[in-house]
Amino acid sequence: MSIFDIILVQPIFNILVFIYGVLPGHDFGVSLIIFTILVRLLMWPLVKKQLNQTKVMRALQPELAKIKAKTKGNKQLENQLMLELYKEKGVNPFGSIGLLLVQLPIFISLFAVVRLITENPDNIDKYTYHILDQLPAVQSAISDGFQASLLGLIDLTKHAIEPGSGVIYWPLLIMAIIAAILQYFQSKQLLPAPKEKKKLRDLLKEQAAGKQVDQAEMSALVTNKMSWLFPVLTFMVAIYLAGALVLYLMITSLVAVLQQYLVLKKDETELDKISNKTKARAENAQTAEIVEGKKSKKKRRK
C-alpha cells in the first residue's frame, strides 16, 4: 500500500466497514449514507465558519463597489484597498477553499474505496484492520465480497450510463439528476438576491450605451447565472461514476442544504430580534418624549 492508502484510503475504508459490520441488515448503501452524514457533521465548524464568511462578504458588496468606483480601474490600488477592508472586517476571501481541501481528499479516497470493493475484492482482507475481522458481516464480506447495493434494490457498482455499451441504469440516472438539483439549491442558498429584477443583458446594454452600471449588481447577476454551471457539471460527472459515488454526492449536497438552511435561518431570526428590539426602543423613546412634553405643558399652565 502507498502512503496515500495508509493515511486516507484505509481509514475511510475501515470506517465504512465498521458501520457495515454493526448496522442491522448490513446494507452497504445505508452504511455509505451514515458515513456521509458523519463526515458533514464533523465538518460542521468549518462549514459554519465558511457560511459566516459568506454572509460578511455579501454585506461588504456595497463597500467593494465604492472602492471600484473610487480607484477608477487602478487594479493595484483596488486590490490594496480591498485587502485592507477584508482585514478590517476579519474576512478571509479564500476561507471557502479550506472546506474544498477537506472534501476533495475524502472524495478521491472514497473513489479508491469503491474501486477496491467493486474491482479488487481480493484485496479487502489486506485493507481491513485486524480488530474488525471479528465481525461476522465483515468476515462474510472478506470471503464473498460486499453486497454493494442500496436497500438491496439499487446496484451501487453500476453506472448511470454504462461505459462502452451506453446502457442506461435508470435508478442511478435519477440519483444523478437529484444530486444536480440539490447542488443547484446548495449554490443558490449562498447567492445574494438581486436588488431589482433586472436581466444581465439589460445591464450590458446600459453599459454599452455609456450609462453608469452598479458593478455589484452586475457581479451578482453573473454569479446567479453561473449557479447553473456546477449542477450541470455535477450531473455530467455523476452519470459516469459508480453508483456509490453518486449516492455520496447526493447525500453530501442534501446535508449541506440542510446545514446552510439552519445557519442562515438562525441568522435571519437573530437579525429580526435585533430589528424588533431596536424598533421597540425607538417606540419607547418616542412615547417617553410625548409624556415628557405633556408634563412640560402642564407645568407651564400652572
Side-chain angles (χ1 to χ4, degrees):
M1 286 188 287
S2 65
I3 295 176
F4 179 78
D5 288 339
I6 294 170
I7 293 175
L8 285 173
V9 177
Q10 194 175 18
I12 287 175
F13 171 76
N14 280 275
I15 293 171
L16 262 176
V17 166
F18 173 74
I19 297 170
Y20 178 86
V22 299
L23 184 73
H26 313 296
D27 188 282
F28 181 77
V30 176
S31 302
L32 184 56
I33 290 172
I34 294 171
F35 168 80
T36 307
I37 293 171
L38 286 174
V39 169
R40 289 296 306 188
L41 289 177
L42 288 172
M43 290 195 299
W44 175 249
L46 195 58
V47 169
K48 193 172 181 182
K49 184 178 179 181
Q50 181 201 12
L51 290 174
N52 289 331
Q53 293 276 309
T54 301
K55 286 179 299 174
V56 176
M57 287 292 288
R58 278 191 200 174
L60 290 179
Q61 290 306 309
E63 293 186 53
L64 292 173
K66 289 178 183 177
I67 288 175
K68 286 185 179 182
K70 181 181 178 181
T71 52
K72 297 178 180 179
N74 186 335
K75 291 295 180 182
Q76 186 176 354
L77 180 59
E78 180 183 325
N79 291 334
Q80 182 183 342
L81 293 175
M82 284 171 64
L83 288 173
E84 287 175 2
L85 179 63
Y86 291 148
K87 187 176 180 181
E88 179 188 340
K89 302 296 182 181
V91 175
N92 180 6
F94 305 105
S96 59
I97 295 175
L99 193 61
L100 179 64
L101 291 176
V102 172
Q103 290 187 87
L104 192 58
I106 293 174
F107 184 78
I108 294 171
S109 303
L110 194 60
F111 181 78
V113 168
V114 170
R115 288 193 63 183
L116 170 66
I117 291 171
T118 59
E119 298 178 16
N120 303 297
D122 295 337
N123 290 330
I124 289 174
D125 186 27
K126 186 172 73 173
Y127 278 78
T128 306
Y129 292 148
H130 180 67
I131 193 172
L132 299 180
D133 289 344
Q134 313 306 316
L135 296 172
V138 177
Q139 290 177 0
S140 177
I142 290 171
S143 58
D144 304 324
F146 283 91
Q147 297 298 317
S149 64
L150 174 61
L151 302 176
L153 300 173
I154 301 175
D155 189 345
L156 297 177
T157 64
K158 290 188 175 182
H159 301 75
I161 298 178
E162 289 295 334
S165 65
V167 175
I168 297 175
Y169 186 50
W170 286 101
L172 289 183
L173 184 64
I174 293 169
M175 283 171 58
I177 293 170
I178 294 172
I181 292 171
L182 289 170
Q183 176 66 56
Y184 171 75
F185 282 111
Q186 183 183 348
S187 302
K188 201 72 175 175
Q189 281 178 316
L190 300 176
L191 296 177
K195 296 176 184 177
E196 299 177 18
K197 293 185 178 179
K198 287 186 179 180
K199 294 183 178 179
L200 182 60
R201 62 186 177 190
D202 295 332
L203 288 179
L204 291 173
K205 284 179 181 178
E206 289 178 11
Q207 193 174 44
K211 293 183 180 179
Q212 187 69 28
V213 175
D214 186 348
Q215 293 299 317
E217 188 177 7
M218 173 79 82
S219 177
L221 284 170
V222 170
T223 307
N224 271 279
K225 290 288 182 183
M226 292 291 288
S227 65
W228 290 95
L229 178 61
F230 289 114
V232 170
L233 288 175
T234 297
F235 176 75
M236 296 302 294
V237 170
I239 58 177
Y240 295 108
L241 290 174
L245 294 171
V246 179
L247 179 62
Y248 173 79
L249 287 174
M250 186 177 76
I251 301 302
T252 295
S253 290
L254 175 61
V255 179
V257 168
L258 292 174
Q259 287 179 323
Q260 289 174 182
Y261 172 79
L262 289 173
V263 173
L264 297 175
K265 189 68 178 177
K266 181 181 177 183
D267 291 329
E268 285 176 10
T269 305
E270 287 176 356
L271 286 173
D272 288 340
K273 286 180 180 177
I274 292 169
S275 178
N276 290 334
K277 284 180 181 178
T278 305
K279 187 177 179 182
R281 285 172 185 168
E283 288 175 352
N284 291 336
Q286 189 176 8
T287 304
E289 285 179 7
I290 293 170
V291 172
E292 192 65 32
K294 287 180 179 179
K295 287 180 179 179
S296 298
K297 284 181 182 180
K298 284 181 181 180
K299 286 180 181 179
R300 288 172 186 172
R301 286 173 186 173
K302 290 178 181 180

